[in-house]
């Protein structure tokens, strides 16, 4: 899927945040000058973020969720190996109050799955910039780097074709099931031209769309998410070796959460389902977002 970046709005917002982080306008300096007989006024300090600590990442994902994301764990017959797989491996960090993460891996007969969960608590050391604004700046940089495609236009946005533009032959043909000029009722030519009657022409059956019947490529494209945290986006990429990587990033107050979920099939003839992987990653993201709101 060829992407066309749609970052002007995001870039403008990021630029505005960056401008705010560099301080106010030169003219504002005079407002803090003391007046005769008065006291020196100071600017109100920006609000601190809601979160002062981070959860323990390797304990943030339940066993049942890991079973869904990493089917190979349940297939382990050795109980000690299975428990070790559930525990995961903490990522290297030098400040557990600011950034922590955990990785899991499981191999099954059909694929190898990896999961990474990363928490970053953002603290602004500028009294004029809130922790939340600084976190939004970091989030927006990740969204710009993801290079999300422009949102697909909905069918209602497409201009309707005037009835007068129909050809005389098509004006009374209805759905195309009317017998042809020879009267033999053969409508195969119209069926070939109609994607709804030709499975090979249906974009939802394209393997690159994740092999999810009934879903359209636009529904599975990388996109921003409206129902997760303060701001969020989902990325989905399939490489040449048929490894699919689904990434969900969201911000809740001054914490930025990153989920990276990838699957490498055992054979290159198999393609991981985009719809299934996105659904699992989004469910995990929703669970983590709820844990922060508690």
């Amino acid at each position: 899927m060829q992407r066309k970046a749609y970052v002007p709005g995001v870039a403008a917002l990021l630029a505005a945040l960056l401008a705010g982080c560099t301080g106010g306008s030169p003219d504002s300096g005079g407002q803090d000058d003391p007046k005769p007989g008065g006291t020196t006024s100071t600017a109100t300090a920006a609000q601190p973020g809601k979160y002062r600590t981070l959860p323990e990442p390797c304990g943030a994902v339940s066993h049942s969720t890991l079973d869904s994301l990493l089917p190979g764990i349940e297939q382990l017959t050795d109980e000690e190996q299975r428990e070790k797989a559930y525990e995961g491996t903490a990522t290297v960090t030098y400040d557990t109050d600011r950034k922590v993460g955990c990785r899991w891996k499981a191999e099954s007969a059909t694929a190898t799955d990896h999961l990474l969960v990363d928490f970053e608590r953002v603290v602004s050391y500028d009294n004029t910039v809130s922790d939340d604004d600084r976190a939004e700046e970091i989030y927006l940089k990740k969204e710009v780097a993801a290079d999300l495609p422009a949102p697909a236009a909905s069918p209602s946005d497409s201009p309707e074709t005037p009835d007068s533009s129909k050809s005389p032959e098509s004006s009374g043909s209805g759905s195309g099931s009317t017998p042809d000029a020879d009267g033999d009722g053969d409508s195969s030519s119209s069926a070939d031209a109609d994607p709804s009657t030709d499975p090979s022409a249906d974009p939802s059956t394209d393997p690159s769309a994740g092999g999810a019947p009934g879903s359209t490529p636009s529904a599975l494209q990388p996109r921003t998410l409206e129902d997760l945290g303060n701001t969020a986006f989902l990325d989905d990429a399939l490489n040449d070796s048929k490894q699919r990587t689904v990434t969900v990033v969201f911000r809740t107050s001054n914490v930025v959460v990153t989920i990276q979920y990838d699957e490498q099939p055992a054979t290159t003839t198999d393609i991981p389902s985009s719809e299934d992987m996105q659904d699992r990653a989004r469910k995990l993201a929703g669970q983590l977002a709820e844990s922060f709101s508690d």
Side-chain angles (χ1 to χ4, degrees):
M1 173 180 62
Q2 183 176 3
R3 298 186 177 186
K4 294 182 179 179
Y6 89 105
V7 298
V10 175
L13 180 56
L14 179 57
L17 285 171
L18 289 172
C21 293
T22 59
S25 62
D27 295 337
S28 63
Q31 297 178 358
D32 292 335
D33 292 338
K35 294 181 180 180
T39 58
T40 303
S41 61
T42 57
T44 303
Q47 291 296 316
K50 178 179 180 180
Y51 303 106
R52 302 297 181 91
T53 60
L54 290 172
E56 200 286 306
C58 291
V61 185
S62 67
H63 284 195
S64 60
T65 300
L66 288 172
D67 289 340
S68 173
L69 291 156
L70 312 170
I73 292 183
E74 285 189 303
Q75 297 178 16
L76 292 172
T77 57
D78 185 283
E79 184 175 350
E80 185 176 346
Q81 289 183 351
R82 187 165 59 251
E83 285 303 316
K84 186 175 181 179
Y86 279 131
E87 290 175 1
T89 303
T91 58
V92 177
T93 181
Y94 300 99
D95 188 350
T96 55
D97 285 335
R98 294 288 303 277
K99 188 175 178 64
V100 293
C102 191
R103 298 179 183 273
W104 293 264
K105 174 185 177 181
E107 297 181 5
S108 67
T110 58
T112 299
D113 295 281
H114 296 83
L115 174 66
L116 166 67
V117 172
D118 180 89
F119 301 127
E120 181 175 0
R121 186 176 69 90
V122 181
V123 177
S124 172
Y125 294 102
D126 185 341
N127 287 336
T128 65
V129 181
S130 70
D131 293 348
D132 284 19
D133 285 345
R134 186 72 73 185
E136 182 68 4
E137 176 190 329
I138 291 174
Y139 163 84
L140 287 173
K141 287 181 179 179
K142 291 177 179 288
E143 184 178 320
V144 171
D147 192 22
L148 304 182
S154 63
S156 60
D157 295 334
S158 303
E160 296 183 0
T161 304
D163 293 340
S164 59
S165 65
K166 296 182 179 179
S167 63
E169 292 82 359
S170 63
S171 60
S173 62
S175 62
S177 60
T178 306
D180 59 10
D182 294 333
D184 58 3
D186 183 7
S187 59
S188 61
S189 60
S190 61
D192 291 341
D194 185 358
S196 65
T197 58
D198 181 6
S200 65
D202 184 359
S204 68
T205 62
D206 183 357
S208 65
S215 62
T216 61
S218 60
L220 299 174
Q221 281 187 349
R223 60 201 180 277
T224 57
L225 303 174
E226 303 295 333
D227 56 350
L228 183 63
N230 299 112
T231 48
F233 73 86
L234 179 149
D235 196 9
D236 187 334
L238 183 69
N239 66 19
D240 293 339
S241 65
K242 300 302 183 290
Q243 174 179 297
R244 184 177 296 281
T245 301
V246 173
T247 304
V248 177
V249 179
F250 70 90
R251 178 184 72 83
T252 175
S253 186
N254 62 316
V255 172
V256 178
V257 179
T258 301
I259 297 169
Q260 184 174 304
Y261 174 40
D262 65 69
E263 180 169 295
Q264 176 66 64
T267 64
T268 56
T269 57
D270 294 330
I271 299 177
S273 169
S274 180
E275 184 176 32
D276 289 346
M277 291 186 64
Q278 288 190 23
D279 182 61
R280 295 168 191 161
R282 289 192 65 179
K283 284 182 178 179
L284 172 57
Q287 293 169 4
L288 295 177
E290 289 180 2
S291 70
F292 274 98
S293 61
D294 292 342

